[in-house]
Amino acid sequence: MENLTITKIVAGIKRKEFSPTEIVNYYLDKIEKEDKNIQAFLNVFKNSAIEKAKEIEKILKENKNSFKLLGVPIAIKDNILVKGFPCTAASKILENYIAPYDATVIKKLKKEGAIIIGKTNLDEFAMGSSTENSAFLKTKNPLDLEKVPGGSSGGSASAVAADLVPASLGSDTGGSIRQPAAFCGIVGLKPTYGAVSRYGLIAFASSLDQIGPLTKNVEDAKIIFDIIKGKDEMDNTSVSFFSKDKILSKNKIKIGIPKEFFGDSLDKNIKIGIENLIKKLEKEKIKFEEISLSHSKYALSCYYILATSEASSNLARYDGIKYGFSVLNDFQKNNKNLMDIYFESRGKGFGKEVKRRIMLGTFSLSSGYYDAYYLKAKKVQFLIKEDFNKIFKMVNFIFSPTSPFFPFKIGEKINNPLSMYLSDIYTVPVNLAELPAISIPLKTQTFNNFPVSLQIISPKFQEESLFNIASFIEKLENE
Ligand code: GLN
């Protein structure tokens, strides 16, 4: 049963090669044996997964088997609510929080017969690029256990890469699906902003956050995306998905290579890997053109102002009164005042990186500094969007590396936030411009067991075109 994909599981169950219970037990056993080393899961829903498998068997007996995820176990990043189970965002402040409802994406997955098998580790509140900022676990990269899996959806990525689950959901605010997918050698999609409902996603930076799939291949990413996309009344920023795809024949495709993304900060071997791919594609008559995204050099600074500002506001709700961890009991005993409750609950409940971001964001929004920081960053965001708009009048896709470097050692960057922030230098502009992008591993371009990963960016709502070109490359890489 090794290395099954969604497509294979659904087909196998329909053909009665295996039952949903066998599938679920297979993955539960694997998680029990192997997750000790990987530490991808914060919580495994053993009983409910087994029960759900039995339910699906009943459905199968009634011959209603048109569900798209019939019996497919899926792991969920622990910042997405699954009704009745803890949702911690890998933060002590939410350690005992139980989700009162299902996120819209979870409802949609369940409706298609998916089995939610458990919750995966992340950087606290999705802030980070290595999953080391989790208050609970240090997830390892299955390709090399001494290395980080990337982040913040590191648990979701390593669970799929280690074949503990066929697919998972993550969230991406500045790269948190694509970068861990790249580090673990799997596929990750960040959809167009608004394509997928954020209802039930614990907010980090609401104007940038999107939920998306992490899978073993492009086909599976498409299956999940097609299920979770669409307008949701509970999220005003979600839109009725209207495809703007242009399905082009190969010789009509033109791809932009941003010169700013291939400079000195890029690992030499990643550069060579992508250049080799370009040569292969040129033989297939695909055209390439050097382009310039001239404001992209400001993207990271812009992101760290906007994302932290929104985070400082979003995280104000964790005050020791409304949600989660609180020193309130202490307070009653020791006669403390309301301010003490706020300070102490937040002081003890949040980790270092989250506090750093709240301080940065609060500063950028504070009176006297707002114009110089937040407002200016908003203007820079506009210029970054304009760069992409202009370029997409000339090319159909943009290619870039997903990450400037290969996975680093656990502990290597944790005390140097600025070097950690650089992990997202190529992914952040995409969130700022609200565009979709997919990261795929180039299996023939591998260094020390780590595949080079390619990020493909398209205009808004052209996910279908992204899947098409990505699967074309995937096939080429597997030949
Ligand atoms: N690594 C980036 C950050 O730390 C992106 C995080 C994300 O996309 N959630 O903010």
Side-chain angles (χ1 to χ4, degrees), residues 126-129 152 172-176 204 303-304 357 424:
M127 297 173 186
S129 307
S152 63
D172 191 313
T173 307
S176 278
F204 161 13
Y303 169 82
Y304 274 96
R357 303 227 183 173
D424 301 295

Side-chain angles (χ1 to χ4, degrees), residues 21 74 82 261 337 408:
T21 301
I74 295 191
V82 177
F261 288 23
N337 67 28
F408 42 90

Side-chain angles (χ1 to χ4, degrees), residues 201-222:
L201 168 68
I202 294 180
F204 161 13
S206 313
S207 78
L208 306 167
D209 300 338
Q210 269 293 287
I211 296 172
L214 293 108
T215 54
K216 292 191 173 151
N217 63 20
V218 176
E219 186 182 24
D220 282 359
K222 174 176 158 54

Side-chain angles (χ1 to χ4, degrees), residues 248-257 285-291 391-399 456-459 469:
L248 298 166
S249 56
K250 269 188 302 182
N251 57 0
K252 295 251 164 64
I253 297 178
K254 215 198 249 173
I255 293 169
I257 302 293
K285 306 232 159 11
I286 292 181
K287 288 182 209 61
F288 288 86
E289 195 179 297
E290 187 178 89
I291 55 158
I391 296 299
F392 279 130
K393 289 198 175 106
M394 297 179 318
V395 302
N396 309 100
F397 302 101
I398 295 172
F399 275 16
I456 315 175
I457 313 167
S458 79
I469 183 144

